[in-house]
Amino acid sequence: MRNKPFFLPVLRPDELLNALGPGNLKNKCFGKVLFRTGLYQLVTGNVSILENISNDWYIRELLNYANETHDPNILKALRKVASTDQFHESIRQNASEIAEIIDDEQNGKHGGAPPGKISEKARGALQTLAGIRYPQTTEVLRLLRDKSPEIKRLALWLIGKFRMTDLSQEVCECLAVRDLEGDAVSVLESLGKDAGPELRRFYLASAGNIEVSRSILRLLSGICPEECMPFLLERLWSTSRQLRETALNELTYRGYIAGEDERKRIRKLIMDTFRTLTWIVSVRVCLEENNDPLLKREADKEFDRWKEFLLRLIRLAYGDSIPLSQAGGEEGDDPGSVRELAAIVFTGHGPAGPDDKSNAAANRKMFKKLQHYFPVLVPDYVTLHEDIINYDYNVISIWTKACAIRSIREIGSENLGESIAALLFSPEEILVEEAVQLISRSGKSADAIMSDRIPAEVRAKLEDIISGRFDRKGLIYEKVRFLSRNLVPVIEEELISLAEQLIFVKELPGEKAALSDAVLWILDGKEGEPAVIINHAGNSPAVGNPGKPDQGSSCYALPFSAITDFCYRFPGNSVRIYSYIDKHEE
């Protein structure tokens, strides 16, 4: 190994994303989302998306929007639909009729009044958008200050169409506004490189908002990759694990290779990552020796996630292969130790092989080799769970911490009790719930561990769990596991935000408002996969289900709005989720 370069493994492609593009998805939910996210392109004259659309619900949304608003900016799209043979004759005829009505209104030929489903302020903004007169800045700012999200959206469209780059800051601020973030992204993409400087300033100003920061990094990578690579590179030293991963993913996606000076800095980060992996391997050894399968499984996932990060990091520094050591090189720039460590980590046996004993042996062998470079000892199992709970959140995920709490049978020491009590004040609801569960399992009352400083809602939940009034299916931990098994098998950490919006309905029929525009899973207590209902507004409760759910059954309800939010935050999961809906929608 010392006499030849080490060739890195190939990054794994997502086979589903390669095989199934968005153009093949047929379900109503995706059609509505696709129309909504692409509406800015349509109203500003870019109708190229219509050439590849095969989702009927998208076209229905387009026709409904045109019929309700008589938006003159949609005329080009309507004429495209009317003249394209790929659409059904009735759809083309409908598009042609609506286009004729709007055209007559624009030319003053139509005797009737326009539809009253939009306000006069909105209609005026649409007329300005359809014209060629450059709008006044004060006019657009007035629209942005309006309370209505629809009026704000029109202001964003005006900024994008007329390239009002002096208002880029206002557009960036809309990245943090619910229901406007998608339009803000579309407008910033259309502004291109001109939006780059303001995006970088807004990134620094919005520090602490992880989701906005991730959106900005993806935007910068797309609209001005060459100018923004140094900015993305600096984010590798962010304190946030999510931001480091996002920045690194964008850098490697763009094929960026670090220069000589950058490589020296990245090498230190590579060695720190090897050190983190060594500690995780020591944790795996401890869990294997003490037969803790739940936490061992999560430690394996943490190892794989950090290993993927390391692979991208080494590729960023060295390309496809780590070169040989160079005699006379500067101290700290010799790739030899990186090459040897990579050989240990990337050629070792993975944790998911068919023979658990051989995998355990391979894991111990890997650990012994890594110990030659990093003086890490196997942790004490008695204190391991508490160590994981208290470990840096940017090294060990919230989900792994929740699993560590779940795998503890009872609170056995004063130190552990203090750590669990501290979690009752955590902003992460899943950790609060698991801490309460552990207190309940330990047979302790609320007063035995908590003070009066605990929030009233947390104390109420604790009392419900201890008394047995709280259904376990309502716990976020159980919801994450359910979504991972039934919806999309992704990193559980990412599913926590989705699980927080998953509604548990204890008994059907009931809470009917929660069942509209949602994916429903009927839990009848029987073994096997739950019945799935894709329940759109106006449908009967049994749409998409081979049989009507029995009264008294419970269910999970996931609102379409929650799915839309999740796919905006984690766009890489969108095709998988909407493919699942495609499969179950009838």
Side-chain angles (χ1 to χ4, degrees):
M1 182 57 65
R2 293 179 180 273
N3 298 321
K4 60 181 180 179
F6 179 76
F7 290 91
L8 295 165
V10 178
L11 290 168
R12 299 187 302 275
D14 191 318
E15 296 178 0
L16 178 62
L17 295 182
N18 292 335
L20 180 61
N24 295 321
L25 297 173
K26 310 291 186 182
N27 65 82
K28 181 177 180 179
C29 181
F30 181 74
K32 295 176 73 172
V33 170
L34 186 61
F35 172 74
R36 186 64 205 82
T37 55
L39 184 54
Y40 169 74
Q41 280 72 29
L42 294 182
V43 299
T44 53
N46 183 0
V47 297
S48 58
I49 189 175
L50 295 173
E51 298 174 1
N52 301 312
I53 283 294
S54 58
N55 187 304
D56 291 340
W57 294 104
Y58 177 95
I59 302 301
R60 294 188 195 186
E61 287 295 309
L62 169 60
L63 297 179
N64 288 340
Y65 172 82
N67 193 43
E68 291 179 358
T69 64
H70 287 199
D71 182 358
N73 301 282
I74 212 74
L75 274 171
K76 186 176 180 180
L78 290 172
R79 289 166 180 156
K80 177 73 173 178
V81 172
S83 62
T84 304
D85 293 337
Q86 75 183 66
F87 301 116
H88 192 273
E89 182 178 353
S90 62
I91 289 177
R92 289 187 281 121
Q93 179 66 26
N94 194 4
S96 178
E97 291 173 355
I98 298 173
E100 184 177 352
I101 293 172
I102 297 175
D103 200 31
D104 285 346
E105 287 176 356
Q106 292 301 107
N107 295 321
K109 298 178 182 179
H110 198 275
K117 294 192 177 182
I118 62 174
S119 66
E120 286 302 318
K121 184 182 289 189
R123 189 168 303 285
L126 288 174
Q127 290 295 338
T128 303
L129 188 66
I132 58 174
R133 177 184 66 84
Y134 193 87
Q136 294 183 355
T137 300
T138 53
E139 177 185 356
V140 176
L141 288 173
R142 192 178 304 115
L143 295 173
L144 278 172
R145 287 194 293 267
D146 196 276
K147 293 181 180 180
S148 168
E150 294 302 322
I151 300 298
K152 292 177 183 289
R153 182 172 292 113
L154 293 174
L156 291 176
W157 292 357
L158 286 167
I159 294 170
K161 177 181 177 179
F162 293 99
R163 297 192 62 79
M164 303 175 73
T165 54
D166 56 323
L167 294 178
S168 296
Q169 177 182 345
E170 285 72 15
V171 181
C172 289
E173 290 172 354
C174 289
L175 290 170
V177 179
R178 183 178 174 82
D179 296 332
L180 293 179
E181 60 267 52
D183 293 276
V185 167
S186 297
V187 170
L188 289 165
E189 286 175 339
S190 69
L191 294 178
K193 294 181 180 180
D194 292 338
E198 192 56 53
L199 275 169
R200 291 194 291 271
R201 283 193 291 271
F202 189 68
Y203 178 93
L204 300 175
S206 61
N209 190 328
I210 298 297
E211 299 309 324
V212 170
S213 297
R214 293 177 73 231
S215 295
I216 293 174
L217 294 180
R218 290 194 294 263
L219 273 167
L220 288 171
S221 172
I223 65 178
C224 46
E226 294 181 2
E227 294 87 342
C228 294
M229 288 300 105
F231 184 85
L232 288 171
L233 190 67
E234 285 300 317
R235 308 286 75 78
L236 295 181
W237 286 269
S238 168
T239 56
S240 166
R241 179 181 183 179
Q242 290 179 303
L243 295 183
R244 291 198 300 265
E245 290 176 336
T246 301
L248 184 56
N249 289 347
E250 295 301 325
L251 287 164
T252 53
Y253 176 74
R254 299 294 170 184
Y256 184 78
I257 301 296
E260 183 176 348
D261 291 338
E262 295 170 335
R263 187 180 301 117
K264 293 177 183 178
R265 292 183 65 202
I266 294 172
R267 185 184 182 280
K268 296 179 181 178
L269 190 56
I270 289 172
M271 297 305 290
D272 288 341
T273 307
F274 274 123
R275 184 176 291 105
T276 298
L277 278 169
T278 302
W279 178 77
I280 295 174
V281 172
S282 74
V283 171
R284 291 165 61 184
V285 170
C286 176
L287 295 171
E288 285 167 348
E289 292 176 348
N290 289 275
N291 192 26
D292 190 335
L294 171 60
L295 200 51
K296 168 60 168 56
R297 184 168 58 249
E298 300 311 317
D300 289 343
K301 293 176 183 177
E302 290 285 357
F303 178 83
D304 289 341
R305 185 175 174 183
W306 276 105
K307 184 178 173 181
E308 182 83 3
F309 180 82
L310 176 65
L311 175 58
R312 293 181 183 275
L313 206 56
I314 296 176
R315 282 185 173 276
L316 180 67
Y318 299 106
D320 292 336
S321 64
I322 306 172
L324 296 170
S325 302
Q326 298 175 353
E330 295 185 25
E331 185 178 356
D333 193 35
D334 183 6
S337 55
V338 173
R339 189 179 69 254
E340 293 164 5
L341 284 165
I344 295 171
V345 171
F346 292 111
T347 60
H349 296 289
D355 188 344
D356 290 338
K357 292 184 178 180
S358 63
N359 281 326
N363 196 42
R364 285 191 291 271
K365 184 177 180 181
M366 179 191 296
F367 178 61
K368 288 181 179 179
K369 289 181 178 180
L370 291 172
Q371 277 185 308
H372 291 300
Y373 298 86
F374 306 104
V376 176
L377 300 176
V378 175
D380 184 354
Y381 184 73
V382 175
T383 59
L384 177 61
H385 296 76
E386 183 182 355
D387 293 340
I388 291 175
I389 292 168
N390 294 324
Y391 216 82
D392 187 348
Y393 281 78
N394 291 302
V395 176
I396 297 297
S397 69
I398 293 171
W399 173 252
T400 300
K401 292 174 181 287
C403 292
I405 302 171
R406 177 62 66 105
S407 63
I408 300 173
R409 294 182 180 180
E410 62 177 0
I411 298 173
S413 69
E414 182 178 352
N415 288 340
L416 179 58
E418 292 176 353
S419 296
I420 297 301
L423 288 177
L424 297 173
F425 298 91
S426 171
E428 302 298 337
E429 189 176 354
I430 187 173
L431 297 183
V432 176
E433 290 182 352
E434 291 308 306
V436 169
Q437 283 277 101
L438 178 54
I439 293 171
S440 177
R441 287 198 301 274
S442 302
K444 299 181 182 292
S445 66
D447 295 332
I449 288 201
M450 297 184 305
S451 71
D452 292 335
R453 294 181 294 113
I454 200 72
E457 62 273 16
V458 177
R459 181 177 289 276
K461 178 174 284 189
L462 171 61
E463 292 172 352
D464 285 345
I465 291 175
I466 290 178
S467 65
R469 294 191 299 267
F470 192 90
D471 196 306
R472 287 173 56 89
K473 295 186 182 71
L475 295 170
I476 294 176
Y477 180 92
E478 300 297 338
K479 293 178 180 179
V480 169
R481 291 185 60 195
F482 179 86
L483 290 173
S484 180
R485 291 193 307 266
N486 293 280
L487 181 62
V488 53
V490 299
I491 299 173
E492 286 87 353
E493 178 88 349
E494 296 178 359
L495 287 174
I496 291 175
S497 62
L498 192 62
E500 289 173 345
Q501 299 183 71
L502 182 65
I503 302 166
F504 175 64
V505 182
K506 192 168 186 178
E507 186 173 344
L508 290 174
E511 301 184 35
K512 294 183 179 179
L515 307 183
S516 179
D517 278 335
V519 180
L520 309 181
W521 290 273
I522 306 302
L523 311 174
D524 56 9
K526 300 177 183 178
E527 294 185 2
E529 296 183 1
V532 182
I533 301 173
I534 310 301
N535 194 34
H536 295 279
N539 288 342
S540 67
V543 169
N545 188 40
K548 191 172 183 179
D550 296 330
Q551 183 172 348
S553 298
S554 59
C555 84
Y556 283 123
L558 182 62
F560 293 153
S561 58
I563 294 175
T564 302
D565 291 344
F566 178 76
C567 291
Y568 173 78
R569 296 176 63 187
F570 304 102
N573 297 323
S574 58
V575 172
R576 291 183 181 276
I577 291 180
Y578 287 117
S579 297
Y580 178 89
I581 295 176
D582 249 18
K583 177 182 176 181
H584 292 94
E585 185 172 272
E586 293 185 355

